[in-house]
């Protein structure tokens, strides 16, 4: 108990220092407040942050001093008042002892990867998080596959959609070996990060949605996703061959880009026979 109390006090102190540092970086103009010619305080005053967050000055002062705990709702309000970006907001929540909500667990990605996806106008491509959550996609992807935006965020996961969504399975009749290889890829990353909430959350969804595939979810085999050729069949159309490749991405850790490139049909060439003598 003493260790837990000491850890909690350390985290509260860290949170207070973190909030204070961000407060001192801001000017009144940054948050829409009028400036004054003579300001002795560095950055915003505590009273100004308290007003913007809708809390009392005393309570906010105690928060910066590490003397009080806070609710997530109030800390969210303080984060907005301090104009924290997503990464800083998540860090403040972690210091306050709050686990990320399912939607928050989707990791941030390098914006330049968005441009990479868009550079393939004819190749459907997805940016996948460590637990295969769909983070971004290009126009070519939604021209062929169901739009990920049409699914709730907690179900916007490539592996989950392949094993549960009939539209994905109609497009990819041979979905099972693809899904199994994706699960091996996932297991490889999950074993390296046993405390990652995203992996546990996805495994729970898979077991609940497809209990008939219990042998899959109990499998401990691992491996990287192998490039392959798959047949994708659009409604009323003939199968078209696509190369499917999983490329590792630099951020977030263990993220990847799944790109599909249509195979060109090789036309047969016929050599004319010489006329009979």
């Amino acid at each position: 108990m003493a260790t837990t109390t000491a850890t909690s006090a350390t985290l509260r102190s860290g949170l207070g220092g973190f909030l204070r540092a961000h407060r001192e970086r801001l000017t009144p103009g940054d948050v829409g407040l009028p400036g004054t010619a003579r300001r002795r305080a560095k950055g915003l005053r505590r009273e100004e942050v308290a007003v913007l967050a809708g809390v009392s000055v005393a309570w906010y002062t105690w928060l910066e001093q590490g003397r009080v705990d806070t609710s997530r709702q109030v800390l969210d309000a303080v984060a907005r008042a301090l104009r924290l970006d997503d990464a800083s907001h998540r860090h403040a929540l972690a210091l306050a002892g709050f686990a990320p909500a399912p939607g928050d667990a989707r990791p941030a990605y390098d914006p330049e990867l968005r441009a990479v996806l868009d550079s393939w106008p004819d190749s459907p491509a997805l940016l996948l998080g460590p637990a295969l959550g769909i983070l971004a996609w290009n126009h070519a992807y939604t021209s062929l596959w169901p739009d990920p935006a049409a699914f709730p965020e907690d179900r916007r996961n490539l592996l989950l959609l392949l094993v549960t969504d009939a539209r994905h399975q109609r497009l990819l009749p041979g979905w099972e070996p693809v899904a199994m290889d994706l699960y091996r890829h996932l297991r490889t990353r999950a074993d390296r990060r046993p405390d990652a909430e995203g992996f546990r959350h996805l495994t729970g969804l898979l077991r609940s949605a497809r209990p008939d595939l219990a042998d899959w979810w109990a499998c401990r085999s691992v491996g990287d996703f192998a490039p392959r050729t798959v047949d994708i069949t659009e409604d009323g159309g003939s199968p078209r061959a696509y190369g499917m490749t999983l490329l590792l991405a630099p951020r977030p850790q263990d993220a990847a880009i799944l790109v599909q490139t249509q195979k060109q049909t090789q036309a047969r060439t016929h050599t004319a026979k010489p006329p009979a003598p």
Side-chain angles (χ1 to χ4, degrees):
M1 180 64 72
T3 301
T4 302
T5 301
T7 301
S8 178
T10 300
L11 288 174
R12 283 200 305 268
S13 177
L15 174 62
F18 184 74
L19 297 178
R20 182 172 60 254
H22 279 272
R23 173 175 61 81
E24 291 176 348
R25 294 177 189 170
L26 292 173
T27 66
D30 292 332
V31 296
L33 295 176
T36 58
R38 300 175 61 184
R39 287 181 67 92
R40 299 179 63 184
K42 181 181 179 181
L44 288 182
R45 298 187 179 98
R46 286 173 175 164
E47 306 90 80
E48 292 168 332
V49 176
V51 169
L52 291 170
V55 299
S56 72
V57 177
W59 184 90
Y60 181 75
T61 300
W62 295 337
L63 182 63
E64 279 199 2
Q65 293 173 346
R67 295 168 56 188
V68 293
D69 292 317
T70 180
S71 69
R72 178 173 181 137
Q73 182 179 9
V74 170
L75 188 53
D76 286 344
V78 170
R80 288 192 295 270
L82 292 174
R83 304 301 193 263
L84 299 187
D85 59 23
D86 289 343
S88 297
H89 189 178
R90 288 194 299 271
H91 185 66
L93 290 171
L95 290 174
F98 295 109
D104 297 335
R106 297 172 63 242
Y109 61 88
D110 189 335
E112 291 185 5
L113 294 176
R114 170 80 262 179
V116 172
L117 299 186
D118 291 335
S119 70
W120 296 318
D122 301 317
S123 298
L126 291 173
L127 176 61
L128 303 172
L132 302 179
I134 299 174
L135 304 179
W137 52 92
N138 63 5
H139 178 70
Y141 184 86
T142 55
S143 296
L144 179 63
W145 293 88
D147 190 344
F151 296 90
E153 283 196 8
D154 67 338
R155 302 192 67 81
R156 204 176 295 168
N157 180 284
L158 178 60
L159 180 56
L160 185 65
L161 291 175
L162 281 178
V163 302
T164 63
D165 185 65
R167 289 170 293 174
H168 283 75
Q169 293 174 2
R170 283 196 299 269
L171 276 166
L172 184 63
W175 62 270
E176 291 194 7
V178 175
M180 177 53 83
D181 246 20
L182 285 171
Y183 188 63
R184 291 192 186 101
H185 176 92
L186 175 77
R187 281 234 46 85
T188 303
R189 276 75 190 162
D191 284 350
R192 297 173 188 165
R193 301 167 66 183
D195 296 330
E197 180 64 28
F199 295 122
R200 291 195 297 271
H201 179 68
L202 175 60
T203 300
L205 289 175
L206 292 170
R207 291 181 185 277
S208 174
R210 291 299 302 267
D212 56 309
L213 298 180
D215 289 346
W216 285 29
W217 317 138
C219 179
R220 301 293 298 182
S221 63
V222 296
D224 292 325
F225 186 86
R228 70 201 57 220
T229 298
V230 299
D231 287 330
I232 297 178
T233 306
E234 295 186 78
D235 291 341
S238 301
R240 289 188 290 171
Y242 281 80
M244 184 178 284
T245 306
L246 197 66
L247 308 171
L248 298 183
R251 185 183 177 213
Q253 180 184 355
D254 290 331
I257 294 175
L258 183 78
V259 60
Q260 301 158 67
T261 306
Q262 187 173 1
K263 299 284 190 178
Q264 299 298 320
T265 303
Q266 297 292 329
R268 294 184 178 181
T269 57
H270 298 276
T271 304
K273 293 182 179 180

